[in-house]
Amino acid sequence: MAVNIVELVDIEDPELIVYGKLSEVQLLHYYEPNGGLFIAESEKVIRRALEAGYEPVSMLLEQRNRKAEEEQILDCLGEIPIYAASLEVLKQITGFHLTGGMLCAMRRKQLPSPKEICEGARRIAVLENVVNPTNVGAIVRSAAALNMDAVLFTPGCADPLYRRAIRVSMGNIFQIPYTYIGNSPEEWQEEGIHLLHKLGFTTAAMALCDDTLSIDDERLQKEERLAVLLGAEGDGLCQQTIHNSDYTVKIPMTHGVDSLNVAAASAVAFWQLSR
């Protein structure tokens, strides 16, 4: 299929507003009430999104000689608008230095229910109010790499399809099942742990408390189905979440270090608890 690449002559083209002039929240509600858009950055991320069945809307790329992998991506895009410009012009449009060479606006999918996501899962990650997109992306990447079967996000989390979260995850958000649990922070607090129990999971809250199990405790390994709960950087999990969980679990520290970054802690927890 011939690819029609249009050289940009007007950076104020209304088709380009999704790449720089709209906030992440505006993209989320772009087709309200029928969902929204997200921006995938770099050849690897875009390829993984396409392989997962996400629909491209348009592309913005650097005008240069492209690698074979990038040409293959272009061949998969159909007849969507593909805009090309110099790196300097791209920076004017997006407001940041484009390191991956290409951006693709893609339609979001309707998310499945927690029940659908968790059917057959043995180990899942649950993120509570993790608001930093970098941490969200790093945790997703660890979850995909270290044998988690699914990721659930509470409504207070950063959107896992924010551009930075997707980039940090290296597109692994498209390779692991995920959805939200609870329609509001209040609903999560009141019913979230109960729902996890109803779905058949024992819950393990990662927290620094007095009454905790070490992460290598054999009782955790023996649990048939385990939900690993992780809280926001700094604040950690809510006290009610900790109180309602079956276990409170910590990673033993040395040299006077009190805790790990939540993304680093997630990698340790997933590796240990999914073996």
Side-chain angles (χ1 to χ4, degrees):
M1 178 183 296
V3 178
N4 182 23
I5 299 179
V6 180
E7 183 176 355
L8 280 176
V9 294
D10 181 9
I11 65 172
E12 298 300 322
D13 188 321
E15 294 288 333
L16 301 177
I17 64 171
V18 298
Y19 294 105
K21 294 188 176 180
L22 297 185
S23 68
E24 298 277 13
V25 173
Q26 288 173 312
L27 288 172
L28 174 62
H29 299 287
Y30 193 77
Y31 293 116
E32 201 77 345
N34 298 314
L37 295 174
F38 66 90
I39 304 298
E41 180 182 356
S42 82
E43 174 272 326
K44 178 179 288 186
V45 170
I46 295 168
R47 173 170 49 80
R48 286 178 171 170
L50 291 171
E51 290 172 350
Y54 286 87
E55 178 188 349
V57 173
S58 67
M59 174 171 276
L60 183 63
L61 51 78
E62 182 183 353
Q63 195 174 51
R64 57 173 170 75
N65 292 327
R66 284 175 289 278
K67 297 180 292 185
E69 295 88 345
E70 294 172 328
E71 293 289 353
Q72 291 172 4
I73 290 293
L74 298 183
D75 289 338
C76 296
L77 295 178
E79 298 181 356
I80 67 169
I82 300 174
Y83 302 100
S86 68
L87 199 59
E88 196 57 41
V89 171
L90 294 182
K91 185 175 181 180
Q92 292 178 45
I93 295 170
T94 63
F96 59 88
H97 180 74
L98 185 61
T99 56
M102 50 176 59
L103 297 173
C104 189
M106 310 187 92
R107 285 183 178 268
R108 291 171 178 264
K109 292 182 179 182
Q110 183 174 353
L111 292 176
S113 69
K115 182 178 180 180
E116 292 172 299
I117 284 290
C118 293
E119 188 171 357
R122 291 189 61 255
R123 295 290 186 267
I124 65 171
V126 182
L127 278 60
E128 180 186 83
N129 303 336
V130 180
V131 297
N132 186 313
T134 299
N135 284 334
V136 167
I139 294 169
V140 166
R141 186 176 182 182
S142 293
L146 299 171
N147 210 29
M148 291 288 109
D149 298 311
V151 181
L152 300 182
F153 299 93
T154 71
C157 286
D159 187 343
L161 293 187
Y162 280 174
R163 182 185 62 84
R164 183 166 182 78
I166 298 173
R167 188 180 71 185
V168 173
S169 83
M170 294 296 290
N172 284 294
I173 188 62
F174 307 122
Q175 298 183 281
I176 187 169
Y178 79 93
T179 195
Y180 283 89
I181 181 168
N183 294 313
S184 67
E186 293 75 22
E187 183 179 328
W188 156 252
Q189 281 299 305
E190 293 172 5
E191 303 177 16
I193 299 297
H194 173 70
L195 177 57
L196 291 171
H197 287 155
K198 188 176 179 180
L199 292 172
F201 290 96
T202 300
T203 51
M206 301 297 299
L208 296 173
C209 300
D210 293 333
D211 184 19
T212 58
L213 295 182
S214 174
I215 197 167
D216 58 357
D217 192 292
E218 64 179 14
R219 284 171 285 184
L220 298 170
Q221 294 287 349
K222 291 179 180 179
E223 292 292 347
E224 185 63 26
R225 307 183 78 198
L226 192 67
V228 183
L229 279 66
L230 297 141
E233 185 76 16
D235 294 336
L237 292 167
C238 296
Q239 285 301 312
Q240 186 174 346
T241 299
I242 296 171
H243 176 75
N244 291 338
S245 294
D246 299 296
Y247 298 113
T248 304
V249 181
K250 67 179 178 181
I251 301 170
M253 300 284 117
T254 61
H255 298 293
V257 177
D258 58 357
S259 65
L260 296 174
N261 167 276
V262 65
S266 74
V268 175
F270 299 159
W271 182 83
Q272 176 65 34
L273 299 176
S274 67
R275 291 192 298 165

